[in-house]
Amino acid sequence: MKLHELTIEEASRQLARRELSSVTLTQAVLDRIAAVDPRIGAYLTLDAEGALAQAAHADRRIAKDEGTPLTGIPLGIKDVICTQGLRTTCGSRLLENFIPPYNATVMDKLQTAGAVILGKLNMDEFAMGSSTENSAYQVTRNPWNQDHIPGGSSGGSGAAVAADMCLGALGSDTGGSIRQPASHCGVVGLKPTYGRVSRYGLVAFASSLDQIGPMGKSVKDCALIMNAISGHDERDSTSVPRPVPDYTKLTGDGFKGLRVGLPLEYHRAEGLDPDVRTAMAAAIETVRALGAETVEVSLPHTEYAVAAYYIIAPCEASSNLARYDGVRYGVRSRDHEDMLDMFRRSRTNGFGAEVQRRIILGTYALSAGYYDAYYGKASQIRSLIMQDFRWAYETCDVLLSPVAPTPAFKIGENTDDPLTMYMSDVFTLSANLAGIPGISVPCGLSSDGLPIGLQIMGPHFSEDRLLQAAYHFEQNTAFHQQRPEL
Amino acid sequence: MKITREEVQHVARLARLDLADTVLDTMAEQLGGILDYMETLNRVDTDGIAPTAHAVSQATPLRADKRRPHLDHEAALANAPERDKESFIVPKIIS
């Protein structure tokens, strides 16, 4: 096996046994990036020099037996997470030159664990999108078929993991932005419970929905990253002071005796691709064979989730993005008549079309006379969606569904019609509205050879249960061993 | 739902965006389509349903009120598009 193909688990074992050095491993991954990223376009900023210095430091730490499972492991970071001294663009022209003066809490934690940070990964601008086509910088291609999107908004993270351009990555998920690219790229991605991982230093899109999480080549790798990044942070008042279990204690019988709910609104949805349907039927058979009991459940307000989400998220975004005014950071437009004109020109030149669309939509929905009809109504629907999940979890332990209605679509196929693009998030965004965790694990390939992901969702703070179930599924199927040819 | 270009222009002004004429028309059309879709929410009776702003609710967390390290002045100014030694420089506000 080539070094860049290693999982975190295996690389960590070899590093601890001194069979491998982090410098050698990091160089191998940098060589891999040089060889394939010109065709994929996952990295926006590569810090080869910094990574090799961190790797040398990690090797010294391991030599003193002071390593952790992530010490010396090369990781990629979605470009929406602040990295001190390393450019963070959020995929936006407006932040072309932004160099964060501080680290996000997750970056402090990864640094403490000794991880090696390779660079920053492409994304839809400010995490708004489902295909990474909204990046102001470059298109990211799906490693399985380069005519197709990698998913989004964490498309750079998904593609980099799938193409072995990092051993694991961080993404962020506001409506499916970890799970959907994980599904489209054939890797594992976990969106934790809201409040499980600190959002301090995560550039805000929709603050009540955003959550950072891991993307990896295996369930175990995601568990290793979760152990490092989870926990309460007094710098994020929405992070929850609750003990963090050891997510890596994976027993290999996660589905045994589990009651698995099959939400009929998801499985019988119109527009569900036949290949996704087939893969789902096979996955359901697999979990039954693994000892799970399946029950049909109903999440009756599912059909309203897209509309509620695309009111709430843009409302929060329009407020959050008001900070980009060209005063303290970001690109300031040169020609302006006065202060207000400077704000307007900087924002108009700096933001791309989708970001402007969502700011307009959010501003409209929050403006005088419309607040109750849109934001108020959507927030009530959100309560009903949460209630759907609460009732479902009275009869089952986890919910099983597709991640996305179709495999990755072609680049350019959906860019003209925002509403069609929004619909592709139908199975993932309810979890964000309800704050519950969800994991995507590979469960098949389409007839065109594109990956399909299985989503397992659970109640608040059931990440351990989801990881156990996903691990059991993974260990009894071969989908995670398939790699794209590059 | 019909959204006029004047309405979009008004909202753009509130959002501190300066949309070109051609963009205004496209935006009005797309916004109308999206808001039509949002109308589906009115099929749900939400009388008496409390709204949710945060899915994982918590009491307001408190911390000890003590001095702690904060961002260095120079670091805070480092990304400024225009600055002098100690301040952000902005266009004249009061003429």
Side-chain angles (χ1 to χ4, degrees), chain A residues 15-16 18 20 55-67 71:
Chain A
L15 286 166
R18 323 285 200 270
L20 174 66
H57 180 73
D59 284 333
R60 287 193 293 275
R61 193 169 152 180
I62 293 167
K64 288 189 278 181
D65 283 322
E66 287 168 3
T71 306

Side-chain angles (χ1 to χ4, degrees), chain A residues 97-99 101 194 208 234 237-241 303-304 306-307 310-311 326-330 332 336 339-340 342 344 347-348 351 356-357 359-361 363-364 370 374 377 379-384 386 416 418-419 422-423 433-435 460, chain B residues 1 3 7-8 11-19 23 27 30-31 33-35 37-56 58 61 63 68 71 75-77 79-82 88-93:
Chain A
N97 311 312
F98 179 63
I99 298 177
Y194 184 80
S208 83
E234 63 173 22
S237 65
T238 62
S239 80
V240 176
E303 64 173 300
Y304 305 108
V306 173
Y310 278 97
I311 291 171
V327 173
R328 292 146 299 152
Y329 46 77
R332 178 185 294 189
H336 45 75
M339 182 88 155
L340 269 184
M342 189 275 279
R344 278 197 292 263
R347 290 166 62 78
T348 309
F351 293 140
Q356 295 198 27
R357 193 179 296 126
I359 290 175
I360 297 277
L361 179 58
T363 307
Y364 179 85
Y370 296 106
Y374 292 108
K377 184 81 180 179
S379 302
Q380 288 176 304
I381 303 283
R382 185 176 186 179
S383 303
L384 295 171
M386 291 182 68
D416 291 341
L419 208 49
Y422 298 169
M423 294 297 181
L433 290 170
H460 291 151
Chain B
M1 194 167 156
I3 301 289
E7 283 177 288
V8 176
V11 173
R13 217 167 277 139
L14 292 175
R16 305 282 187 253
L17 289 171
D18 199 4
L19 303 185
V23 180
M27 195 75 90
Q30 288 175 339
L31 207 61
I34 294 168
L35 292 172
Y37 180 69
M38 303 310 184
E39 294 293 318
T40 56
L41 295 185
N42 293 327
R43 283 193 247 143
V44 186
D45 179 6
T46 51
D47 270 2
I49 303 290
T52 295
H54 270 90
V56 179
Q58 285 197 82
R63 61 167 169 76
R68 61 175 77 206
L71 202 58
L77 283 167
N79 281 289
E82 205 181 337
F88 297 103
I89 293 180
V90 294
K92 204 159 145 188
I93 301 167

Side-chain angles (χ1 to χ4, degrees), chain A residues 1-11 25 29 32 73-75 157-169 182 185-189 214-223 225 440-442 471 474-475 478-484:
Chain A
M1 189 180 244
K2 298 185 184 97
L3 289 180
H4 58 254
E5 292 181 0
L6 292 175
T7 58
I8 295 175
E9 184 185 12
E10 181 54 31
L25 175 64
V29 177
R32 172 71 174 173
I73 301 295
L75 301 177
S157 300
V161 174
D164 297 311
M165 293 192 279
C166 58
L167 271 68
C185 292
V187 302
V188 182
M215 299 174 78
K217 299 179 194 180
S218 71
V219 174
K220 186 69 171 281
D221 284 4
C222 286
I225 297 174
S440 171
V441 60
Y471 182 72
E474 176 192 76
Q475 295 304 305
F479 307 115
H480 66 290
Q481 288 157 357
Q482 294 172 318
R483 297 193 118 75

Side-chain angles (χ1 to χ4, degrees), chain A residues 167-309:
Chain A
L167 271 68
L170 291 186
S172 69
D173 191 315
T174 304
S177 285
I178 287 174
R179 291 160 286 158
Q180 186 254 27
S183 173
H184 284 350
C185 292
V187 302
V188 182
L190 172 69
K191 174 213 137 11
T193 306
Y194 184 80
R196 175 78 295 183
V197 176
S198 170
R199 292 184 297 112
Y200 180 78
L202 168 67
V203 177
F205 158 17
S207 306
S208 83
L209 307 165
D210 298 339
Q211 191 64 195
I212 296 171
M215 299 174 78
K217 299 179 194 180
S218 71
V219 174
K220 186 69 171 281
D221 284 4
C222 286
L224 283 163
I225 297 174
M226 276 301 285
N227 271 7
I229 63 172
S230 301
H232 178 245
D233 176 14
E234 63 173 22
R235 294 184 293 186
D236 171 7
S237 65
T238 62
S239 80
V240 176
R242 188 183 164 112
V244 179
D246 180 358
Y247 292 116
T248 61
K249 280 190 181 154
L250 300 169
T251 52
D253 60 357
F255 267 116
K256 200 174 168 194
L258 215 59
R259 284 176 71 87
V260 173
L262 306 175
L264 57 92
E265 290 81 2
Y266 289 47
H267 290 273
R268 293 184 195 160
E270 271 176 56
L272 197 59
D273 181 272
D275 290 342
V276 174
R277 207 178 282 278
T278 306
M280 265 326 105
I284 291 165
E285 282 313 309
T286 303
V287 306
R288 283 186 188 134
L290 295 176
E293 182 195 343
T294 56
V295 285
E296 273 205 345
V297 295
S298 175
L299 301 170
H301 296 91
T302 299
E303 64 173 300
Y304 305 108
V306 173
Y309 177 89

